[in-house]
DNA sequence: ACAGTCGGGACACCCCGTTTGT
DNA sequence: ACAAACGGGGTGTCCCGACTGT
């Protein structure tokens, strides 16, 4: 990897944390300059502008968050343990990008304008949902889960309550709300088990 | 109400929508000038600065959102119908302030810095939670709900999944995710009914 | 005069000196900020950009230079004394704008591109030439000067040799070259006197 | 001449035209890259920086201008025809370096700062003046010119009025002003002839 | 001998939030 | 309530000179 690519990668990583914490408007090039040790010229060498950088930073942040959530999932056998692992990862596992869930942050932040970013968030949510509904459908195929389970609805429910719980947890600066959500979702998953 | 107070009120209302849609950093005085038809001086006559205006705008936005969610709640008899009404209001009823839930938006937006605003959000969430756990506790007292129901946890769960569902719904620009959440919460509430 | 106009005037005056000394490309907003004590916002409040400011600065600089050259001219009787006064003013009288003759400086500086500025210089030269040829023609009318004198040519000659002499004088940092030109032009003027 | 030296020479030639037209600040390495077809590395191989290149470019430009002005001078017999030839060359003969007289341009351009360049211009003017005053003094020695003629003053006068005339001619994009100066100088020279 | 890459630095222009006069 | 004024900071652009290959 060339020196330029390393620099570029470093910029993206730092930018991911900054954009995730402060939002697009709230983040300035000066913040990025301080974080990377580069000057404006050094940054603009690698990116055409703030927007492109924000897009790549989101890709990175979401990739890291997704990896954290899927950590060890395949070590579990069965749909229900796998989803419980996802939920536990969401609650416990901090990804390398500070500031909470990039999905939630960027969805709210890009709610007005910034369509390119918004489209990327939409796709990320869609992929995550598919990943979980896929686990559910595989479980149904293997008769681990009751037939007739609405995989999409369950996936939506998991995402919605986790993200909402995260918002509350960050507000209170403790994990209580997330643990409440976690307990509820685990109970819900158990209730889906085939007899 | 004096003319000055009317103007002040108009500013707050317009500001509420703008801040709720664009966030604190993303909103400019120019936006407010355009929306109110006033000049900067006219705005600064009533508020000491952007921060104070943002605080009052949040108060207004949250007040309106809370009113919308509690609409007709007292016309319902029993804890479960009342909470179902709250949920239905959340899903269907648009408040006068555009841009989604001020709680969610402001919680994410004030996540970095802006402690005064953050504190106000925290209090608003706390009040809303208390309002709903109060309904639950009253239901338990009247033996409508099973004894041993964790009122705080249920309230937290409702808020978390509604807010998360709203985020998803706004992202997709349709209510599907919210309706999934609504159906699930209604089922949950029904399961709490005393035998 | 309002405070804003005073500020604007101060900016133009300072800018005139800076542009006259360093040229358009060589002058930066930072130079102007330092000279005026204003920040960028304070300057851009009054001018749409560097180009407009340069135009107004040239107007000011040329106005001051022209006034200095025409100083006391009308106190002299007769075309020849009047033109000698112009020449003496050119040689001796420093205008309030440092950096030499704005005509010469700006003509050279705007030689490549910058058509708006160039056009203003052309007009300034044309006006100055007309002013002097007018004096000559008036002198001919009053029979102070020989009939058949080519007023335009004489005016051109005066301007060319003074400006060229000024260039040499500034290069040597002494007035020798200008005094040589002055002596020659005075002799030339005397030779035009009607018998 | 080696290939490297040819490249170096080509860079200097192109640079001479660019610096002469646009000035030191107004010329960019990108301009030089475009003109030479070389990349930055190719230029920096031969020169330590922009300043050194500007110095050499001036040397080249002035050398070419001086050669053009002295063209065929030695074919003329006598001081007066020789100087008339110089003047005619100045008016008519375009050197290979576009943008007007390097002396005038660089004198104005280096008026603020850039002492190294300024010193070179001073020397060039001094040499040119000496060349012409030398012709004059030789003419006096041969009794072609009146004794008592101030050779330095005449040379200064020629240079000043030619350079000033050139400035006016370039401004008007026609040679009128220069021809006026030429006619006057020729008359002046004729008036110096010994009886 | 030259090309391409890289990053520090400065610059122009713009806009924002705030203060001041009126 | 407005208008003008101003300090400050933001983004995007360009340029120069050094460095890395080849």
């Amino acid at each position: 990897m060339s020196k330029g690519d390393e620099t570029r990668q470093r910029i993206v990583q730092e930018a991911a944390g900054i954009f995730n914490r402060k939002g697009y408007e709230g983040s300035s090039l000066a913040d990025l300059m301080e974080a990377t040790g580069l000057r404006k010229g050094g940054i603009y060498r690698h990116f055409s502008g703030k927007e492109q950088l924000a897009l790549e930073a989101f890709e990175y942040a979401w990739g890291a968050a997704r990896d954290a959530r899927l950590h060890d999932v395949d070590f579990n056998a069965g749909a229900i343990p796998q989803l419980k692992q996802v939920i536990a990862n969401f609650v416990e596992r901090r990804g390398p990008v500070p500031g909470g869930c990039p999905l939630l942050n960027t969805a709210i932040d890009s709610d007005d304008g910034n369509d390119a970013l918004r489209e990327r968030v939409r796709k990320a949510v869609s992929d995550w949902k598919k990943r979980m509904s896929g686990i559910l459908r595989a479980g149904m195929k293997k008769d681990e889960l009751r037939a007739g389970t609405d995989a999409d609805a369950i996936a939506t429910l998991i995402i919605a309550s986790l993200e909402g719980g995260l918002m509350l947890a960050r507000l209170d600066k403790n994990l209580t709300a997330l643990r409440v959500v976690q307990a509820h979702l685990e109970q819900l998953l158990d209730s889906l088990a085939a007899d």
Side-chain angles (χ1 to χ4, degrees), chain A:
Chain A
M1 186 189 253
S2 76
K3 182 155 171 287
D5 287 345
E6 281 170 22
T7 301
R8 184 191 167 92
Q9 186 65 9
R10 208 178 73 235
I11 296 171
V12 169
Q13 287 176 21
E14 296 288 350
I18 290 171
F19 280 121
N20 202 42
R21 279 190 291 110
K22 312 177 86 160
Y24 182 76
E25 300 276 356
S27 303
S28 74
L29 283 196
D31 296 328
L32 296 171
M33 288 163 60
E34 191 187 350
T36 58
L38 292 172
R39 305 309 173 98
K40 237 176 296 212
I43 294 175
Y44 269 83
R45 171 120 202 102
H46 298 286
F47 303 93
S48 67
K50 198 182 174 184
E51 168 122 11
Q52 192 209 336
L53 182 47
L55 282 170
E56 297 206 23
F58 172 77
E59 295 297 319
Y60 175 84
W62 168 237
R66 192 196 47 219
D67 289 349
R69 286 164 199 186
L70 297 180
H71 186 80
D72 279 348
V73 163
D74 291 335
F75 284 4
N76 291 274
I80 292 175
Q82 284 183 349
L83 290 175
K84 285 185 177 176
Q85 180 73 53
V86 171
I87 293 164
N89 286 340
F90 190 101
V91 176
E92 304 290 353
R93 193 171 286 275
R94 296 286 148 267
V97 177
C101 176
L103 244 41
L104 177 60
N105 292 336
T106 313
I108 301 300
D109 193 49
S110 69
D111 195 24
D112 172 83
N114 216 331
D115 287 334
L117 200 47
R118 190 162 189 70
E119 199 46 51
R120 280 301 303 128
V121 179
R122 210 187 324 259
K123 182 167 169 3
V125 167
S126 168
D127 287 348
W128 192 28
K129 187 152 67 179
K130 273 188 194 127
R131 188 70 163 82
M132 287 199 289
S133 60
I135 293 176
L136 286 162
R137 270 187 265 269
M140 288 165 68
K141 210 165 204 172
K142 294 187 192 166
D143 285 327
E144 298 165 22
L145 299 180
R146 248 205 291 273
T149 301
D150 187 339
D152 278 344
I154 301 296
T156 296
L157 206 57
I158 294 173
I159 295 175
S161 50
L162 283 178
E163 297 288 355
L166 178 59
M167 182 267 282
L168 296 176
R170 289 185 64 82
L171 201 57
D172 284 340
K173 293 193 203 297
N174 71 59
L175 290 181
T176 308
L178 264 181
R179 294 208 190 285
V180 166
V181 168
Q182 179 178 23
H184 177 70
L185 290 176
E186 290 184 345
Q187 188 183 339
L188 170 66
L189 288 173
D190 287 333
S191 75
L192 298 177
D195 311 310

